[in-house]
Amino acid sequence: MGVIKRLERIGAVTSTYFVVWILLGSALALYSPSTFTPLGDYISVFLGVIMLGMGLTLTPTDFRRIVERPRDVFIGAAAQWVFMPVFAYLLVAFLGLPRDIGVGLVLLGAAPGGTASNVMTYLGRGDVALSVTITSVTTLAAPLVMPAWIVLLAGEEITVTFGAMAEEIVLIVLIPVVAGLLLRIILDRYAPAVANAGLSIFPAVSVLTIVLIVAAIVGLNVEEILTASATVFLAVIVHNALGLGAGYGTGYLTGMSTDRTRACAFEVGLQNSGLAVALAAAFFDPVAALIPALFSVWHNISGPALATAFARRTDQAVADADSASTAD
């Protein structure tokens, strides 16, 4: 077996059992949080590594298609801006969540798309270029969108600086993605075998890196997680499910291609929970950070599960097409 084939097999096996690794990492962090809390200082670095890997999967043609059809970017961003804050507000009212905890859910709903959405789109065979573009648009607009929703829905005013948001999107998303894209162009031209090796192994690297991030978040919030009520867990799960469903439905009903519909589902359903945790701790009662912290764990279970289902559907379609071609 060649090296490339071996790497592809490793990446496929690791991605297939993504949810298992997430659950295992979370369980270990609950059992021994001090082992994983030091990783919290490196979450941004881990995210950068993941984004670099996704950049390697892109080509200039991917972004050219985005420019040619900006409609899907606007639809995905608008769906994320509208659905998640409204769903959060309705859940707070329907479940009767305490005010401080409810503020955390509204804050999460008003947050921009998270880098997790890019990763899950990548693993779920979605349109990564569209996903990264929507994440960039929603993050850059967050200084206006987040305070407006908080004032409207929670009656609170927070100050979010454009500089902090811009720094996050540049350092964690744009620079690594552009670096990966440029590296892909160089490798395709001068070392295609190395490029193929990188594309084969990075799914496994992404999976393991996400597991470390989740374990760090669990370790840092273990007390809050263990004392959360069933209603709080229900709010997190339902909010995430509504977002994924609304995103997929929006893409499907507006005529997006399958890969773009998947990207829209992840963009709407997966929020920048890390940003919501930070803002909740800075501007509200510490308990307001509970739901964003739980969401950080949960969406890294639901997201991989959905990404795995999407990937298997694609792989099966390819296998069926190959079988039909061979039969002919």
Side-chain angles (χ1 to χ4, degrees), residues 273-327:
S273 52
L275 177 62
V277 167
L279 291 177
F283 296 99
F284 303 102
D285 189 283
V287 75
L290 175 59
I291 281 184
L294 290 172
F295 192 90
S296 295
V297 178
W298 174 249
H299 78 180
N300 279 302
I301 295 174
S302 65
L306 184 58
T308 298
F310 283 154
R312 285 180 174 172
R313 186 180 301 175
T314 297
D315 293 344
Q316 185 61 50
V318 171
D320 291 344
D322 288 344
S323 296
S325 173
T326 303

Side-chain angles (χ1 to χ4, degrees), residues 167-189:
E167 181 180 1
E168 178 180 2
I169 193 67
V170 169
L171 294 178
I172 296 178
V173 179
L174 293 184
I175 289 179
V177 168
V178 171
L181 174 61
L182 294 176
L183 183 59
R184 170 73 181 277
I185 293 172
I186 294 170
L187 290 177
D188 279 345
R189 179 173 299 180

Side-chain angles (χ1 to χ4, degrees), residues 19 22 79-80 83-92 95 97 104-106 108-114 116-118 120-121 231-249 262-273 291-307 310:
V19 176
I22 291 290
Q80 197 276 336
F83 284 127
M84 294 305 272
V86 172
F87 288 156
Y89 179 77
L90 293 176
L91 282 171
V92 170
L95 296 176
L97 293 175
L105 182 57
V106 173
L108 175 69
S117 63
N118 310 141
M120 301 313 161
T121 299
T231 304
V232 172
F233 280 107
L234 179 63
V236 170
I237 294 170
V238 173
H239 188 242
N240 176 231
L242 288 173
L244 291 170
Y248 191 89
R262 294 176 180 180
C264 191
F266 289 122
E267 281 303 314
V268 177
L270 306 184
Q271 305 292 88
N272 190 334
S273 52
I291 281 184
L294 290 172
F295 192 90
S296 295
V297 178
W298 174 249
H299 78 180
N300 279 302
I301 295 174
S302 65
L306 184 58
F310 283 154

Side-chain angles (χ1 to χ4, degrees), residues 18-87:
F18 195 168
V19 176
V20 175
W21 311 135
I22 291 290
L23 293 174
L24 181 60
S26 299
L28 290 173
L30 286 172
Y31 177 75
S32 179
S34 60
T35 302
F36 297 95
T37 50
L39 297 177
D41 295 333
Y42 303 98
I43 289 178
S44 295
V45 176
F46 292 153
L47 290 172
V49 170
I50 295 169
M51 300 306 294
L52 175 67
M54 285 188 296
L56 283 170
T57 71
L58 301 176
T59 65
T61 302
D62 294 320
F63 289 96
R64 199 173 298 127
R65 286 188 287 111
I66 297 297
V67 174
E68 291 170 354
R69 196 181 180 191
R71 164 185 171 274
D72 292 348
V73 177
F74 174 78
I75 290 173
Q80 197 276 336
W81 283 326
V82 174
F83 284 127
M84 294 305 272
V86 172
F87 288 156

Side-chain angles (χ1 to χ4, degrees), residues 168-263:
E168 178 180 2
I169 193 67
V170 169
L171 294 178
I172 296 178
V173 179
L174 293 184
I175 289 179
V177 168
V178 171
L181 174 61
L182 294 176
L183 183 59
R184 170 73 181 277
I185 293 172
I186 294 170
L187 290 177
D188 279 345
R189 179 173 299 180
Y190 299 106
V194 176
N196 289 334
L199 291 174
S200 300
I201 197 60
F202 249 104
V205 173
S206 297
V207 167
L208 295 176
T209 305
I210 293 171
V211 171
L212 292 177
I213 292 174
V214 173
I217 291 173
V218 171
L220 290 168
N221 297 278
V222 64
E223 292 184 7
E224 291 80 0
I225 292 173
L226 292 175
T227 57
S229 69
T231 304
V232 172
F233 280 107
L234 179 63
V236 170
I237 294 170
V238 173
H239 188 242
N240 176 231
L242 288 173
L244 291 170
Y248 191 89
T250 297
Y252 180 80
L253 292 174
T254 55
M256 292 187 191
S257 60
T258 298
D259 59 342
R260 291 191 166 200
T261 298
R262 294 176 180 180

